[in-house]
Short mmCIF file of all heavy atoms in Angstrom, two decimals:
data_model
loop_
_atom_site.label_atom_id
_atom_site.label_comp_id
_atom_site.label_asym_id
_atom_site.label_seq_id
_atom_site.Cartn_x
_atom_site.Cartn_y
_atom_site.Cartn_z
N GLY A 67 148.53 71.78 4.78
CA GLY A 67 148.59 72.83 3.77
C GLY A 67 149.95 72.98 3.15
O GLY A 67 150.08 73.19 1.93
N PHE A 68 151.02 72.90 3.96
CA PHE A 68 152.38 72.97 3.42
C PHE A 68 152.58 71.93 2.32
O PHE A 68 153.08 72.23 1.23
CB PHE A 68 153.41 72.71 4.53
CG PHE A 68 153.68 73.87 5.43
CD1 PHE A 68 153.80 73.67 6.80
CD2 PHE A 68 153.84 75.15 4.93
CE1 PHE A 68 154.07 74.73 7.65
CE2 PHE A 68 154.11 76.22 5.77
CZ PHE A 68 154.22 76.01 7.13
N LYS A 69 152.22 70.70 2.62
CA LYS A 69 152.46 69.60 1.67
C LYS A 69 151.64 69.77 0.40
O LYS A 69 152.13 69.52 -0.70
CB LYS A 69 152.14 68.26 2.34
CG LYS A 69 153.03 67.90 3.50
CD LYS A 69 152.54 66.64 4.18
CE LYS A 69 153.29 66.35 5.45
NZ LYS A 69 152.79 65.15 6.15
N HIS A 70 150.39 70.20 0.54
CA HIS A 70 149.55 70.40 -0.63
C HIS A 70 150.11 71.51 -1.52
O HIS A 70 150.20 71.36 -2.74
CB HIS A 70 148.12 70.75 -0.21
CG HIS A 70 147.21 71.07 -1.35
ND1 HIS A 70 146.59 70.09 -2.11
CD2 HIS A 70 146.83 72.27 -1.89
CE1 HIS A 70 145.87 70.66 -3.06
NE2 HIS A 70 146.00 71.97 -2.95
N ALA A 71 150.49 72.64 -0.89
CA ALA A 71 151.04 73.75 -1.67
C ALA A 71 152.35 73.36 -2.33
O ALA A 71 152.63 73.75 -3.47
CB ALA A 71 151.24 74.97 -0.76
N TYR A 72 153.16 72.59 -1.63
CA TYR A 72 154.45 72.15 -2.17
C TYR A 72 154.24 71.30 -3.43
O TYR A 72 154.97 71.44 -4.41
CB TYR A 72 155.18 71.35 -1.11
CG TYR A 72 156.56 70.88 -1.48
CD1 TYR A 72 157.63 71.76 -1.52
CD2 TYR A 72 156.80 69.53 -1.79
CE1 TYR A 72 158.91 71.33 -1.85
CE2 TYR A 72 158.07 69.09 -2.12
CZ TYR A 72 159.12 69.99 -2.14
OH TYR A 72 160.38 69.56 -2.48
N ARG A 73 153.23 70.43 -3.40
CA ARG A 73 152.97 69.55 -4.54
C ARG A 73 152.33 70.28 -5.71
O ARG A 73 152.60 69.96 -6.86
CB ARG A 73 152.06 68.40 -4.12
CG ARG A 73 152.67 67.41 -3.15
CD ARG A 73 151.80 66.15 -3.06
NE ARG A 73 150.43 66.47 -2.68
CZ ARG A 73 149.98 66.51 -1.43
NH1 ARG A 73 150.81 66.23 -0.43
NH2 ARG A 73 148.72 66.80 -1.17
N THR A 74 151.46 71.24 -5.41
CA THR A 74 150.63 71.82 -6.47
C THR A 74 151.05 73.20 -6.95
O THR A 74 150.74 73.57 -8.09
CB THR A 74 149.16 71.91 -5.99
OG1 THR A 74 149.08 72.79 -4.85
CG2 THR A 74 148.64 70.52 -5.62
N ALA A 75 151.72 73.98 -6.11
CA ALA A 75 152.01 75.37 -6.45
C ALA A 75 153.48 75.65 -6.67
O ALA A 75 153.83 76.70 -7.23
CB ALA A 75 151.47 76.31 -5.37
N ASP A 76 154.37 74.77 -6.21
CA ASP A 76 155.81 74.94 -6.37
C ASP A 76 156.28 76.33 -5.91
O ASP A 76 156.92 77.07 -6.65
CB ASP A 76 156.20 74.72 -7.84
CG ASP A 76 157.71 74.57 -8.03
OD1 ASP A 76 158.37 74.08 -7.09
OD2 ASP A 76 158.21 74.96 -9.10
N PRO A 77 156.00 76.71 -4.66
CA PRO A 77 156.28 78.07 -4.20
C PRO A 77 157.73 78.26 -3.76
O PRO A 77 158.40 77.32 -3.35
CB PRO A 77 155.34 78.23 -3.01
CG PRO A 77 155.28 76.84 -2.44
CD PRO A 77 155.36 75.90 -3.60
N ASP A 78 158.19 79.51 -3.82
CA ASP A 78 159.48 79.88 -3.21
C ASP A 78 159.31 80.18 -1.74
O ASP A 78 160.23 79.98 -0.94
CB ASP A 78 160.07 81.11 -3.91
CG ASP A 78 160.44 80.82 -5.36
OD1 ASP A 78 161.01 79.74 -5.62
OD2 ASP A 78 160.12 81.66 -6.23
N TYR A 79 158.12 80.68 -1.36
CA TYR A 79 157.83 81.01 0.03
C TYR A 79 156.43 80.54 0.39
O TYR A 79 155.52 80.52 -0.44
CB TYR A 79 157.92 82.52 0.27
CG TYR A 79 159.29 83.10 0.07
CD1 TYR A 79 159.64 83.71 -1.14
CD2 TYR A 79 160.25 83.03 1.07
CE1 TYR A 79 160.91 84.23 -1.33
CE2 TYR A 79 161.52 83.56 0.89
CZ TYR A 79 161.84 84.14 -0.31
OH TYR A 79 163.10 84.66 -0.50
N PHE A 80 156.28 80.17 1.66
CA PHE A 80 154.98 79.89 2.24
C PHE A 80 154.67 81.01 3.24
O PHE A 80 155.57 81.56 3.86
CB PHE A 80 154.98 78.56 3.00
CG PHE A 80 155.34 77.36 2.16
CD1 PHE A 80 156.66 77.00 1.97
CD2 PHE A 80 154.34 76.58 1.60
CE1 PHE A 80 156.99 75.88 1.23
CE2 PHE A 80 154.66 75.45 0.85
CZ PHE A 80 155.99 75.10 0.66
N VAL A 81 153.39 81.31 3.42
CA VAL A 81 152.96 82.22 4.47
C VAL A 81 151.89 81.52 5.30
O VAL A 81 150.89 81.05 4.74
CB VAL A 81 152.39 83.53 3.90
CG1 VAL A 81 151.89 84.43 5.04
CG2 VAL A 81 153.43 84.27 3.08
N THR A 82 152.11 81.41 6.59
CA THR A 82 151.08 80.87 7.48
C THR A 82 150.22 82.02 7.99
O THR A 82 150.73 83.09 8.33
CB THR A 82 151.70 80.13 8.67
OG1 THR A 82 152.54 81.03 9.43
CG2 THR A 82 152.54 78.95 8.20
N LEU A 83 148.92 81.78 8.03
CA LEU A 83 147.97 82.79 8.51
C LEU A 83 146.90 82.12 9.35
O LEU A 83 146.37 81.07 8.97
CB LEU A 83 147.29 83.52 7.35
CG LEU A 83 148.10 84.58 6.60
CD1 LEU A 83 147.39 84.94 5.31
CD2 LEU A 83 148.29 85.81 7.47
N ASP A 84 146.58 82.70 10.50
CA ASP A 84 145.40 82.28 11.25
C ASP A 84 144.17 82.93 10.64
O ASP A 84 144.26 83.98 9.97
CB ASP A 84 145.52 82.69 12.72
CG ASP A 84 146.48 81.82 13.50
OD1 ASP A 84 146.93 80.78 12.95
OD2 ASP A 84 146.78 82.16 14.66
N ASN A 85 143.01 82.34 10.88
CA ASN A 85 141.78 82.88 10.30
C ASN A 85 141.19 84.03 11.10
O ASN A 85 140.06 84.45 10.85
CB ASN A 85 140.73 81.77 10.13
CG ASN A 85 140.25 81.20 11.46
OD1 ASN A 85 140.99 81.16 12.43
ND2 ASN A 85 139.00 80.75 11.48
N ASP A 86 141.96 84.55 12.07
CA ASP A 86 141.54 85.74 12.80
C ASP A 86 142.55 86.87 12.62
O ASP A 86 142.66 87.75 13.47
CB ASP A 86 141.31 85.44 14.28
CG ASP A 86 142.51 84.76 14.94
OD1 ASP A 86 143.53 84.55 14.24
OD2 ASP A 86 142.43 84.42 16.13
N VAL A 87 143.28 86.84 11.51
CA VAL A 87 144.28 87.87 11.20
C VAL A 87 143.77 88.73 10.04
O VAL A 87 143.36 88.21 9.00
CB VAL A 87 145.63 87.24 10.83
CG1 VAL A 87 146.57 88.28 10.21
CG2 VAL A 87 146.28 86.63 12.07
N ILE A 88 143.82 90.05 10.23
CA ILE A 88 143.40 91.00 9.20
C ILE A 88 144.63 91.72 8.66
O ILE A 88 145.41 92.29 9.43
CB ILE A 88 142.41 92.04 9.76
CG1 ILE A 88 141.19 91.34 10.37
CG2 ILE A 88 141.98 93.02 8.67
CD1 ILE A 88 140.39 90.52 9.39
N VAL A 89 144.81 91.66 7.36
CA VAL A 89 145.91 92.34 6.69
C VAL A 89 145.43 93.73 6.30
O VAL A 89 144.45 93.87 5.57
CB VAL A 89 146.37 91.56 5.45
CG1 VAL A 89 147.46 92.31 4.71
CG2 VAL A 89 146.85 90.17 5.85
N GLU A 90 146.11 94.77 6.79
CA GLU A 90 145.62 96.13 6.60
C GLU A 90 146.36 96.91 5.52
O GLU A 90 145.97 98.01 5.17
CB GLU A 90 145.71 96.88 7.94
CG GLU A 90 144.85 96.25 9.03
CD GLU A 90 144.97 96.95 10.37
OE1 GLU A 90 146.01 97.61 10.59
OE2 GLU A 90 144.03 96.83 11.19
N ASP A 91 147.44 96.35 4.98
CA ASP A 91 148.23 97.02 3.94
C ASP A 91 148.37 96.07 2.76
O ASP A 91 148.87 94.95 2.90
CB ASP A 91 149.61 97.39 4.50
CG ASP A 91 150.48 98.11 3.48
OD1 ASP A 91 150.04 98.31 2.34
OD2 ASP A 91 151.63 98.47 3.83
N ALA A 92 147.95 96.51 1.59
CA ALA A 92 147.98 95.65 0.41
C ALA A 92 149.40 95.26 0.01
O ALA A 92 149.61 94.27 -0.71
CB ALA A 92 147.29 96.35 -0.76
N ASN A 93 150.41 96.03 0.46
CA ASN A 93 151.81 95.76 0.09
C ASN A 93 152.56 94.95 1.14
O ASN A 93 153.78 94.84 1.08
CB ASN A 93 152.53 97.08 -0.16
CG ASN A 93 152.00 97.81 -1.37
OD1 ASN A 93 151.83 97.22 -2.44
ND2 ASN A 93 151.72 99.09 -1.22
N TRP A 94 151.86 94.38 2.09
CA TRP A 94 152.52 93.68 3.20
C TRP A 94 153.41 92.54 2.72
O TRP A 94 154.52 92.37 3.21
CB TRP A 94 151.47 93.14 4.16
CG TRP A 94 150.60 92.04 3.60
CD1 TRP A 94 149.56 92.18 2.74
CD2 TRP A 94 150.74 90.64 3.83
NE1 TRP A 94 149.02 90.96 2.43
CE2 TRP A 94 149.72 90.00 3.08
CE3 TRP A 94 151.60 89.87 4.61
CZ2 TRP A 94 149.56 88.61 3.08
CZ3 TRP A 94 151.44 88.48 4.62
CH2 TRP A 94 150.43 87.87 3.85
N LEU A 95 152.93 91.79 1.73
CA LEU A 95 153.69 90.62 1.29
C LEU A 95 154.93 91.02 0.49
O LEU A 95 155.98 90.39 0.60
CB LEU A 95 152.79 89.70 0.47
CG LEU A 95 153.36 88.35 0.09
CD1 LEU A 95 153.89 87.60 1.31
CD2 LEU A 95 152.31 87.50 -0.63
N LYS A 96 154.81 92.08 -0.28
CA LYS A 96 155.98 92.57 -1.02
C LYS A 96 157.11 92.92 -0.07
O LYS A 96 158.28 92.62 -0.33
CB LYS A 96 155.60 93.81 -1.85
CG LYS A 96 154.78 93.52 -3.09
CD LYS A 96 154.51 94.80 -3.87
CE LYS A 96 153.72 94.54 -5.14
NZ LYS A 96 153.42 95.79 -5.88
N GLU A 97 156.77 93.56 1.05
CA GLU A 97 157.80 93.96 2.01
C GLU A 97 158.43 92.75 2.68
O GLU A 97 159.66 92.68 2.84
CB GLU A 97 157.18 94.90 3.05
CG GLU A 97 158.06 95.17 4.27
CD GLU A 97 159.35 95.91 3.95
OE1 GLU A 97 159.47 96.46 2.83
OE2 GLU A 97 160.24 95.94 4.83
#
Side-chain angles (χ1 to χ4, degrees):
F68 281 138
K69 295 174 188 178
H70 176 82
Y72 183 75
R73 292 193 304 268
T74 62
D76 193 30
D78 295 317
Y79 296 98
F80 301 86
V81 177
T82 59
L83 283 167
D84 284 351
N85 66 329
D86 53 2
V87 167
I88 303 298
V89 177
E90 299 177 336
D91 181 359
N93 293 312
W94 68 282
L95 188 53
K96 286 182 178 178
E97 169 64 14

